[in-house]
Amino acid sequence: MRNPPDDHAIAVWIWPRALPLAQIFGPAWDGAEIRARFLTLTGQWHARHPAPAAAEAGAGPRPGQWMWHPPAHRIYDCHTYEAEDDWLEVAIRMETVDFYPNHCRLGASLTIACRCETTHGAHTIVETSWRTGGPAGALDALTAVLRYTDQWIANSQQPAGWRRHAGLE
């Protein structure tokens, strides 16, 4: 991700099959059906987007790996669409909601490179966020989040188009 958390150094790239879902999200995530559905959804996410450019060059995650951030009980992944001097990034994340036991927060964002002087770095063009209880609801929400990202990228994978859409030209 272009803007990782400050304690990003303690996060690791890991295959979805190896993620300790029960440790991250709670014991209800330990079932075989839950894991199988999660793996199906993460596989669909990977299949819908190209491998990150860094992975092709050997610097970064391998295609299909997710970032696990243990202290925050968070997993996430992103795909970057690069153009000349510009980029567009679609990211999804899942994390626990500490103040609600057994709840997850899921979200996705579409971010574009920023050239302005006030908030230099990136602008979030569109995002969605869900809070759910239990693994079945979280996986339903993840299905919806994947649909949203599909719709965003179906409109355009070109940063310039999204820049115009957001009025950043």
Side-chain angles (χ1 to χ4, degrees):
M1 295 189 79
R2 298 224 180 231
N3 296 310
D6 292 337
D7 54 355
H8 186 74
I10 55 178
V12 295
W13 287 105
I14 192 168
W15 298 107
R17 184 171 305 285
L19 284 166
L21 297 177
Q23 180 183 339
I24 299 168
F25 301 117
W29 285 79
D30 214 11
E33 282 185 39
I34 298 298
R35 178 166 288 281
R37 187 168 171 211
F38 174 78
L39 292 173
T40 298
L41 290 170
T42 57
Q44 290 171 354
W45 160 257
H46 174 66
R48 289 173 166 136
H49 300 280
E56 293 168 2
R62 292 184 183 165
Q65 288 184 322
W66 281 53
M67 179 65 72
W68 172 32
H69 193 253
H73 295 276
R74 178 184 310 136
I75 59 173
Y76 49 93
D77 192 29
C78 68
H79 294 285
T80 303
Y81 299 88
E82 306 255 356
E84 191 173 319
D85 298 327
D86 211 355
W87 54 264
L88 177 70
E89 180 177 85
V90 60
I92 59 175
R93 70 188 174 287
M94 293 179 66
E95 60 192 338
T96 60
V97 180
D98 291 334
F99 48 93
Y100 288 102
N102 299 318
H103 279 69
C104 286
R105 183 178 13 233
L106 295 94
S109 61
L110 184 73
T111 307
I112 189 117
C114 170
R115 296 184 189 125
C116 66
E117 295 185 21
T118 55
T119 56
H120 188 66
H123 285 286
T124 298
I125 304 299
V126 63
E127 63 186 330
T128 185
S129 182
W130 300 66
R131 189 181 77 209
T132 65
L139 294 173
D140 288 345
L142 181 57
T143 301
V145 164
L146 291 176
R147 253 187 251 122
Y148 279 109
T149 63
D150 287 348
Q151 291 169 358
W152 299 338
I153 297 304
N155 286 329
S156 175
Q157 295 179 4
Q158 299 301 315
W162 283 101
R163 183 176 302 291
R164 280 190 302 278
H165 173 77
L168 296 172
E169 297 269 27

